Amino acid sequence: MHLSMIGAGYVGLVSGACFAEFGHQVTCVDKDASRIEALKQGKMHLYEPGLGELVQKNFRDGRLVFTTDLGKAVETSLAVFIAVGTPPRGDGSADLSAVEAVGKEIAAHLNGYKVVVTKSTVPVGTGERLRQIISKHKPEGVSFDIASNPEFLREGSAVEDFFRPNRVVIGAESPQAIAILKDLYRPLYLIETPILLTNIATAEMIKYASNAFLATKISFINELANLCEPLGVDIHQVAKGMGLDGRIGSKFLHPGPGFGGSCLPKDSQALVKMAEAQQVELRVLSGVVAANQAQRERMMGKIRSLVGPLKGKTIAVLGLAFKPNTNDLRESPALWIVSQLAKEGAQVRVYDPEAMTDARAVLTGQSIVYAQDAYDAARGSDAVVLATEWNQFRNLELEKLKGVMRQPNFLDLRNVYDPDRLIALGFQYVGVGRAGTKTKP
Ligand code: UDX
């Protein structure tokens, strides 16, 4: 089947390459000409394991093409996916201007029946709005359908998630649109992926509800971790005990500096805004958002209580991306902590395996030292803050690390290390939800 993916960002590129791998003919469209040129030369603008190989292979085989020409792509496609950004506005609600602009452009190029599918996360009612926009701007006599097919791809494992999803949600209301979308996902029938058919508004809500619920689990466990600290209880054992109950589940109960990324923070806030517009109060979710901000601030408190006033101190931060296996810095708690440390007068030395170039571009105007590796970052530092749990940081040579530090303070914001081991080596160790600072007797 011929399909086009409008927006060659994270979601569009992963989905486009994976659909091509299924054997479909995919045109990825982006208005950023330099991005399209780079993709044609096999150069990726984002780091995602396995994606580069998939893009190159399908490009070489001719199933995946890149263009800035939206019109031509639409004209040759039966399904047109919208995967452009829906960034938050100042008040937290989703900005739909890119989606609406693309809708108008698609309408102008409708030369026969097509199904227009939203993949971007869009507020409930956007499908309907898009239907009105396209109806208004399309040539007379051509028909189309709208569908919603939200993505649930985790950055860092997006390719794997596309090929092995927990579910595929298809929001569509006409038999033709349903048949086309089911056909697109046919290869997944072999692995018996549940396909959930709903109306469009429900599919739009499922996406928000899922991300908001994941955010809720994280804020819940983070707040509980904070309570475990003064009570001398280990949050990991608590999470394990909770997670063994099938109704709760063990996933997303890992405490840390709070959730970041392009989805959880933005979608939680947008859902609160959506509810406000309907005069409905989402008290739980509002609390989740507030708790997430407080969690970052609490991490700063931990650093201060370990090293004292930050002015003149040297702090090493390991990890900048919001999670491992990505260079994405959006809403990254690690990045926020780096900025905050710098603001409070600390000399910050940072290292991240993939996000250094992006960090330089974002952290302008702050004097940050970009180190060669974890040990270089730790050189002369008063504390090492493990902020993102890259595999490279899971097995650090601790003696070597301690040897280059000014003071052996270790803040393990991802609870990667065994506190007893670090304490035995002479570190002062602080984790999250692990009974406060322990020192060698
Ligand atoms: C998320 C959703 O998981 C995915 O389904 C959706 O479509 C896009 O948004 P992603 O943003 O890639 O994916 O990251 P995710 O793995 O969900 O992690 C989000 C944040 O929560 C990260 O900052 C992570 O460090 C944090 N997190 C996650 C925790 O702090 N604790 C956990 O137990 C799990």
Side-chain angles (χ1 to χ4, degrees):
M1 190 186 306
H2 278 253
L3 64 100
S4 41
M5 199 56 72
I6 315 297
Y10 184 78
V11 172
L13 197 57
V14 172
S15 309
C18 292
F19 274 134
E21 182 70 10
F22 279 170
H24 300 301
Q25 182 64 44
V26 181
T27 308
C28 273
V29 184
D30 204 293
K31 61 180 184 187
D32 181 342
S34 59
R35 176 178 288 185
I36 290 295
E37 244 350 276
L39 285 167
K40 282 182 183 166
Q41 287 164 26
K43 290 188 200 131
M44 307 286 295
H45 55 278
L46 48 87
Y47 174 76
E48 179 64 38
L51 183 60
E53 293 83 336
L54 207 61
V55 166
Q56 280 163 21
K57 174 175 163 236
N58 284 281
F59 179 69
R60 210 177 39 234
D61 295 349
R63 283 189 303 273
L64 183 63
V65 295
F66 298 104
T67 181
T68 51
D69 189 344
L70 183 144
K72 224 190 231 159
V74 169
E75 283 161 18
T76 52
S77 299
L78 180 58
V80 181
F81 284 82
I82 301 181
V84 296
T86 53
R89 289 205 198 93
D91 67 352
S93 64
D95 180 350
L96 292 176
S97 50
V99 172
E100 294 184 357
V102 163
K104 277 187 204 162
E105 272 195 81
I106 294 172
H109 292 278
L110 277 192
N111 56 348
Y113 173 84
K114 296 175 199 305
V115 52
V116 179
V117 195
T118 51
K119 258 240 170 273
S120 306
T121 302
V122 289
V124 178
T126 304
E128 192 42 46
R129 169 115 188 84
L130 210 53
R131 189 197 306 282
Q132 289 163 12
I133 291 174
I134 298 179
S135 297
K136 193 169 151 202
H137 292 90
K138 76 175 175 63
E140 248 177 69
V142 282
S143 63
F144 71 97
D145 275 314
I146 296 286
S148 163
N149 174 220
E151 55 81 20
F152 300 100
L153 308 172
R154 286 167 305 167
E155 292 189 28
S157 30
V159 173
E160 160 86 10
D161 284 354
F162 194 97
F163 291 131
R164 302 199 162 273
N166 289 323
R167 78 301 207 186
V168 169
V169 174
I170 295 177
E173 287 152 25
S174 86
Q176 201 170 356
I178 294 170
I180 290 169
L181 279 156
K182 278 179 126 179
D183 208 31
L184 275 172
Y185 283 105
R186 191 161 304 280
L188 295 182
Y189 292 11
L190 283 175
I191 53 166
E192 295 179 2
T193 303
I195 306 237
L196 182 66
L197 283 176
T198 69
N199 66 23
I200 295 168
T202 307
E204 290 168 341
M205 182 55 104
I206 288 171
K207 170 66 199 241
Y208 278 102
S210 303
N211 275 352
F213 190 74
L214 292 174
T216 304
K217 280 189 100 172
I218 298 169
S219 273
F220 180 86
I221 205 71
N222 280 343
E223 287 202 314
L224 221 62
N226 300 343
L227 175 61
C228 283
E229 287 172 6
L231 296 178
V233 174
D234 182 346
I235 190 65
H236 287 288
Q237 290 190 19
V238 175
K240 196 167 182 190
M242 290 165 65
L244 287 169
D245 184 329
R247 293 169 303 174
I248 298 172
S250 59
K251 305 263 170 71
F252 273 67
L253 290 179
H254 196 90
F259 54 83
S262 65
C263 287
L264 265 49
K266 170 173 86 89
D267 294 352
S268 307
Q269 283 194 21
L271 190 53
V272 169
K273 285 283 148 197
M274 226 185 294
E276 272 174 28
Q278 304 299 325
Q279 284 90 47
V280 173
E281 210 178 327
L282 296 187
R283 292 185 187 83
V284 173
L285 196 55
S286 302
V288 166
V289 172
N292 197 49
Q293 179 57 33
Q295 193 68 8
R296 294 174 170 198
E297 283 158 18
R298 192 176 163 92
M299 300 302 111
M300 285 301 298
K302 282 177 184 285
I303 303 172
R304 279 185 221 106
S305 68
L306 200 54
V307 302
L310 288 164
K311 202 164 169 47
K313 298 280 165 37
T314 299
I315 311 290
V317 177
L318 305 186
L320 295 168
F322 82 96
K323 66 186 250 188
N325 295 328
T326 177
N327 62 337
D328 199 337
L329 294 167
R330 284 177 283 180
E331 296 291 327
S332 167
L335 197 73
W336 185 88
I337 288 168
V338 168
S339 282
Q340 205 57 32
L341 287 167
K343 258 187 224 156
E344 294 186 29
Q347 170 67 68
V348 195
R349 300 174 64 86
V350 302
Y351 175 69
D352 185 286
E354 291 295 335
M356 299 290 264
T357 311
D358 303 75
R360 279 179 208 268
V362 180
L363 292 167
T364 49
Q366 299 179 23
S367 82
I368 309 282
V369 177
Y370 294 89
Q372 300 297 319
D373 57 27
Y375 306 98
D376 185 25
R379 202 175 307 281
S381 66
D382 296 290
V384 164
V385 180
L386 200 171
T388 311
E389 70 279 30
W390 283 92
N391 274 344
Q392 286 92 324
F393 304 148
R394 288 180 181 275
N395 256 317
L396 293 169
E397 288 176 52
L398 295 166
E399 294 279 14
K400 182 175 166 190
L401 192 79
K402 190 172 157 231
V404 297
M405 295 173 73
R406 187 154 60 194
Q407 293 190 71
N409 291 315
F410 197 96
L411 281 117
D412 186 1
L413 304 187
R414 301 288 181 169
N415 291 352
V416 165
Y417 284 92
D418 172 8
D420 293 338
R421 186 168 157 235
L422 267 88
I423 291 158
L425 285 169
F427 282 93
Q428 284 222 87
Y429 176 93
V430 174
V432 182
R434 299 176 123 181
T437 307
K438 293 196 215 166
T439 48
K440 202 173 178 180

